[in-house]
């Protein structure tokens, strides 16, 4: 049982039924000041329920609780402060970390619950951008976190493989194509796409041509379908190369085209509920009239030429997911610019009577800017993700050449460090912030970077290699060690909060601070001295490494043992 759980248990015995176990657990804090102990329990709520003076309650509880786990339990005003018996607690923690085999800090909150995560979802016939990388790595981390909290997860790639843009692509190929479609690289397809977007802006008839081809696609025209299929497959190949490089996989690739045969049913359903209005030949949901307070604009469901839209497909998707996965939570990891889209989507489903629309959540994130400007594939100023990963890997290799020229598997480690740096950078900031991207900054081995965490871990492995074999045992009570131990005691709560708040940065920031804590311990302590504390010190740093590796794995970042 984790130490927080032990304290929760103890308190539950004392104060139930006034407070329940869950409430108590949520109330336990980690004091910032060392003089306030290692854990603390505020009694305000209990005082309210019991109509008693908080300070008095704290006093009484302090007197009642006697347990070998604590050196002392002290009342301070309305707080009950727990001071752990450092030697026992650290030795207990080390053995818990060791025995958990990489699962230390995980819990079962989500037992029997299903989470669907819509993530990555790049658009066919375009290169995957940094924006889709954000969705991919945030989604992947949330998936790992959900699993660490006991949930069952399905990661779904909602590929953008349907819509007017494919009409435009096909129109462009029909107008300008000069070789078989299968001979086009993604780069060439993107050039075609950029060119036709420019042409469509200048000439409405080009845009019409695109719409005409999309309509044919939706109606099952064979030529349109064949071209679409080849374009999709070659894009998908490029995406899967990147996923392999990031070591991220999906439980389903059900893109927008998957819902083509489920559109009529959705539109009929909305009609049955009287939610559809016809306006200039198009079918819309008139949200301003139906929900005047929502400030949501009209949602177009079917255009006057009969073609469906992104929204139509998302309506079908949501219903399909509920039927198919029976989710308890359905997350959409998509850029903040689609906030209104998801608000409309949920509102329409709610109006249609689906109470479960409350379980859908748009997990939004900010833009990635490159040299201060937004990237757009329509304008052509995209930085393809492959190039970013390649340069990161190259920069990492240069640093390894300098720091550790004799390392045997340099290329492999450089890839782990470079790719890890890009992922970590993406996750360490609050997800809704705009990130301006500077590749040189993020691959540095010092500062708030992924390589900094990886390096701390590699350093621990190097010390452990030097030490040779030792017994995992012993506890520590000096202040230096205790600060490291105390940081490790936070980990279970980090794993929990990061998922509950859908916030990978909680894990990333924690890993940075644990690494800093270790580095300062390392700077001030002679670890490898042959005295009777040697075993315990090695056990301590081994435990740190286990947690660093666990946390990096949650983020999808590798942890090389040497770098
Ligand atoms: N393909 C879309 C884009 O790149 C993202 C799709 C997100 N998922 C969804 N169910 N709408 O903007």
């Amino acid at each position: 049982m984790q130490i927080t759980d032990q304290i929760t248990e103890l308190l539950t015995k004392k104060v139930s039924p006034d407070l329940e176990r869950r409430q108590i657990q949520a109330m336990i804090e980690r004091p910032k000041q060392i003089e306030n102990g290692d854990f603390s329990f505020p009694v305000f709520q209990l005082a309210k329920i019991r109509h008693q003076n908080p300070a008095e309650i704290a006093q009484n509880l302090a007197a009642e609780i006697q347990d070998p786990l604590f050196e002392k339990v002290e009342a301070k005003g309305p707080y009950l402060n727990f001071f752990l018996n450092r030697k026992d607690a650290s030795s207990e923690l080390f053995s818990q970390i060791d025995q958990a085999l990489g699962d230390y800090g995980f819990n079962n909150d989500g037992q029997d619950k299903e989470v669907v995560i819509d993530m990555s979802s790049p658009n066919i016939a375009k290169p995957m951008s940094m924006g889709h990388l954000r969705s991919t790595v945030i989604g992947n981390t949330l998936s790992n976190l959900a699993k660490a909290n006991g949930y069952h997860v399905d990661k779904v790639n909602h590929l953008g493989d349907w819509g007017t843009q494919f009409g435009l692509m096909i129109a462009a190929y029909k107008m300008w194509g000069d070789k078989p479609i299968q001979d086009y690289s993604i780069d060439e397809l993107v050039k075609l796409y950029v060119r036709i977007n420019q042409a469509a802006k200048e000439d409405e008839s080009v845009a019409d041509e695109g719409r005409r081809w999309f309509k044919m696609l939706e109606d099952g025209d064979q030529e349109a379908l064949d071209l679409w299929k080849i374009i999709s497959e070659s894009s998908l190949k490029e995406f899967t190369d990147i996923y392999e490089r990031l070591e991220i996989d999906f439980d389903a690739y059900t893109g927008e085209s998957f819902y083509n045969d489920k559109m009529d049913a959705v539109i009929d359903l909305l009609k049955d509920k009287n939610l559809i209005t016809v306006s200039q030949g198009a079918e819309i949901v008139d949200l301003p009239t139906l929900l005047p307070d929502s400030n949501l604009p009209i949602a177009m469901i079917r255009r006057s030429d009969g073609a469906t839209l992104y929204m139509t497909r998302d309506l079908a998707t949501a219903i399909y997911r509920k039927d198919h996965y029976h989710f308890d939570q359905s997350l959409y990891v998509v850029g903040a610019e689609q906030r209104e889209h998801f608000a409309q989507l949920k509102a329409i489903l709610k109006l249609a009577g689906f109470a479960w629309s409350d379980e859908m959540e748009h997990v939004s994130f900010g833009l990635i800017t490159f040299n201060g400007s937004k990237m757009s594939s329509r304008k052509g100023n995209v930085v393809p993700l492959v190039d970013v990963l390649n340069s990161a890997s190259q920069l990492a290799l240069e640093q390894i050449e300098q720091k550790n020229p004799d390392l045997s598997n340099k290329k492999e480690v450089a890839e782990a460090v470079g790719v890890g740096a890009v992922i970590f950078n993406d996750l360490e900031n609050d997800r809704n912030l705009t990130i301006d991207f500077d590749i040189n900054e993020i691959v540095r081995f010092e500062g708030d970077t992924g390589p900094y965490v990886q390096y701390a871990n590699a350093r621990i492995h190097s010390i452990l290699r030097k030490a040779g074999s030792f017994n995992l045992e012993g506890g520590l009570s000096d202040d230096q060690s205790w600060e490291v131990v105390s940081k490790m005691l936070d980990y279970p709560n980090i794993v929990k909060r990061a998922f509950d708040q859908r916030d990978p940065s909680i894990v990333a920031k924690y890993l940075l601070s644990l690494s800093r804590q270790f580095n300062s311990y390392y700077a001030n302590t002679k670890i490898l001295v042959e005295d009777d504390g040697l075993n315990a010190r090695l056990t301590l740093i081994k435990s740190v490494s286990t947690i660093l590796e666990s946390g990096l794995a949650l983020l999808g970042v590798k942890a090389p043992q040497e770098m």
Side-chain angles (χ1 to χ4, degrees):
M1 209 183 344
Q2 284 162 16
I3 291 177
T4 344
D5 295 331
Q6 284 172 260
I7 298 178
T8 310
E9 207 73 351
L10 246 157
L11 282 168
T12 309
K13 276 193 203 124
K14 298 283 173 209
V15 308
S16 73
D18 293 335
L19 290 172
E20 284 171 34
R21 195 178 187 287
R22 286 187 65 89
Q23 296 171 293
I24 297 170
Q25 188 163 36
M27 279 185 226
I28 294 176
E29 298 170 6
R30 306 269 351 251
K32 298 240 152 36
Q33 254 78 40
I34 201 153
E35 64 268 20
N36 291 331
D38 301 303
F39 291 92
S40 133
F41 178 68
V43 300
F44 305 104
Q45 207 163 322
L46 187 61
K48 236 198 207 145
I49 295 168
R50 290 188 178 169
H51 303 290
Q52 273 175 18
N53 173 315
E56 210 171 290
I57 294 191
Q59 295 279 348
N60 292 342
L61 282 173
E64 275 175 45
I65 297 177
Q66 265 146 27
D67 194 285
L69 191 61
F70 309 112
E71 190 188 291
K72 59 179 178 189
V73 181
E74 223 173 55
K76 189 166 178 187
Y79 286 93
L80 191 61
N81 294 336
F82 297 88
F83 294 76
L84 290 172
N85 182 331
R86 289 181 175 186
K87 217 164 190 133
D88 293 352
S90 56
S91 126
E92 163 82 12
L93 175 75
F94 299 155
S95 79
Q96 280 180 5
I97 293 176
D98 180 46
Q99 279 159 20
L101 303 170
D103 282 358
Y104 170 71
F106 294 6
N107 66 69
N108 266 325
D109 286 2
Q111 199 164 19
D112 303 323
K113 295 210 182 94
E114 164 75 20
V115 185
V116 175
I117 306 184
D118 181 313
M119 53 180 269
S120 197
S121 312
N123 300 317
I124 296 287
K126 295 185 196 172
M128 196 187 299
S129 67
M130 290 298 296
H132 291 113
L133 171 76
R134 291 214 79 182
S135 170
T136 310
V137 300
I138 294 171
N140 187 53
T141 303
L142 292 180
S143 160
N144 292 336
L145 282 167
K147 290 176 188 166
N149 283 280
Y151 292 85
H152 183 269
V153 181
D154 279 288
K155 292 186 273 185
V156 182
N157 197 329
H158 190 74
L159 292 166
D161 59 359
W162 208 247
T164 351
Q165 68 270 32
F166 295 97
L168 272 177
M169 273 307 305
I170 296 172
Y173 175 71
K174 293 297 282 183
M175 279 194 278
W176 303 312
D178 51 13
K179 55 184 173 184
I181 184 82
Q182 42 273 24
D183 294 350
Y184 275 77
S185 68
I186 293 289
D187 281 353
E188 289 170 319
L189 288 174
V190 171
K191 286 211 182 83
L192 269 187
Y193 186 69
V194 171
R195 182 171 167 194
I196 192 134
N197 267 291
Q198 260 149 14
K201 228 187 265 159
E202 285 152 23
D203 182 351
E204 188 57 27
S205 74
V206 174
D208 283 343
E209 191 56 11
R211 281 192 275 270
R212 192 176 70 83
W213 273 104
F214 179 53
K215 187 69 183 58
M216 283 166 66
L217 194 57
E218 283 205 306
D219 292 343
D221 175 83
Q222 200 54 49
E223 183 185 9
L225 274 173
D226 288 345
L227 289 169
W228 168 80
K229 200 158 179 244
I230 294 167
I231 297 172
S232 294
E233 277 164 6
S234 62
S235 294
L236 197 56
K237 170 80 181 67
E238 184 168 298
F239 298 156
T240 43
D241 285 350
I242 293 176
Y243 296 142
E244 268 169 33
R245 200 161 166 185
L246 298 173
E247 296 193 7
I248 289 178
D249 54 11
F250 295 87
D251 299 292
Y253 280 91
T254 36
E256 294 182 43
S257 66
F258 176 79
Y259 301 95
N260 190 34
D261 63 359
K262 301 171 181 61
M263 295 301 168
D264 290 340
V266 175
I267 298 173
D268 288 347
L269 184 139
L270 297 180
K271 280 185 184 154
D272 278 354
K273 312 255 173 187
N274 286 322
L275 296 175
I276 296 277
T277 317
V278 177
S279 161
Q280 296 172 333
E283 290 170 316
I284 62 165
V285 177
D286 186 359
L287 289 169
T289 306
L290 292 164
L291 295 173
D293 295 335
S294 71
N295 270 327
L296 291 171
I298 283 174
M300 171 112 56
I301 303 296
R302 179 142 54 190
R303 279 208 313 256
S304 55
D305 65 3
T308 63
L309 294 100
Y310 183 54
M311 176 62 81
T312 330
R313 294 186 285 278
D314 256 331
L315 286 162
T317 303
I319 295 170
Y320 172 84
R321 285 186 189 155
K322 185 67 193 179
D323 288 348
H324 187 75
Y325 295 109
H326 309 286
F327 59 71
D328 297 280
Q329 299 176 18
S330 176
L331 311 184
Y332 293 81
V333 187
V334 185
E337 68 277 8
Q338 294 193 30
R339 196 162 282 157
E340 193 165 77
H341 168 78
F342 286 103
Q344 287 178 307
L345 176 64
K346 286 183 63 166
I348 296 172
L349 290 165
K350 188 97 186 203
L351 285 169
F354 296 119
W356 51 259
S357 60
D358 288 339
E359 295 153 6
M360 291 162 60
E361 185 180 334
H362 176 203
V363 179
S364 62
F365 54 82
L367 287 178
I368 300 232
T369 57
F370 196 75
N371 298 329
S373 73
K374 186 188 166 177
M375 302 186 286
S376 153
S377 55
R378 250 165 287 147
K379 297 197 201 104
N381 59 337
V382 206
V383 185
L385 181 51
V386 195
D387 294 354
V388 175
L389 296 178
N390 289 344
S391 359
S393 187
Q394 182 55 37
L395 281 170
L397 187 62
E398 284 163 19
Q399 293 186 74
I400 293 169
E401 292 287 5
Q402 274 180 8
K403 285 194 170 230
N404 194 357
D406 301 329
L407 186 66
S408 56
N409 51 346
K410 270 185 238 173
K411 268 238 153 73
E412 197 185 309
V413 175
E415 172 77 1
V417 173
V419 171
V422 174
I423 298 178
F424 194 91
N425 170 65
D426 218 323
L427 294 172
E428 73 178 296
N429 298 294
D430 294 347
R431 59 183 157 75
N432 277 307
L433 293 179
T434 297
I435 302 187
D436 198 52
F437 202 73
D438 178 347
I439 192 107
N440 289 300
E441 276 299 305
I442 67 169
V443 190
R444 287 190 322 131
F445 282 26
E446 268 113 51
D448 291 345
T449 66
Y452 178 75
V453 177
Q454 288 172 318
Y455 198 67
N457 181 56
R459 178 175 275 163
I460 296 178
H461 279 283
S462 135
I463 303 170
L464 294 175
R465 274 193 302 274
K466 257 187 228 144
S469 67
F470 66 98
N471 293 331
L472 271 161
E473 64 183 17
L476 291 157
S477 57
D478 63 291
D479 286 351
Q480 275 286 338
S481 317
W482 189 248
E483 280 186 51
V484 185
V485 171
S486 180
K487 189 82 320 142
M488 288 196 275
L489 287 171
D490 284 338
Y491 190 60
N493 197 246
I494 295 290
V495 172
K496 193 172 151 45
R497 268 201 304 140
F499 181 66
D500 289 348
Q501 299 178 18
R502 284 71 166 106
D503 188 358
S505 78
I506 292 178
V507 177
K509 287 180 181 133
Y510 171 80
L511 293 176
L512 286 168
S513 100
L514 180 59
S515 302
R516 267 182 238 118
Q517 198 76 62
F518 161 74
N519 280 332
S520 100
Y521 175 77
Y522 176 71
N524 294 303
T525 315
K526 292 201 172 61
I527 297 175
L528 285 174
V529 190
E530 293 277 353
D531 60 18
D532 54 4
L534 178 61
N535 241 322
R537 288 192 299 272
L538 292 171
T539 307
L540 170 81
I541 65 169
K542 171 104 174 78
S543 310
V544 172
S545 158
T546 305
I547 292 188
L548 290 178
E549 289 175 4
S550 157
L552 286 172
L554 287 175
L555 303 182
V557 173
K558 284 196 183 155
Q561 301 208 345
E562 261 183 285
M563 62 188 264

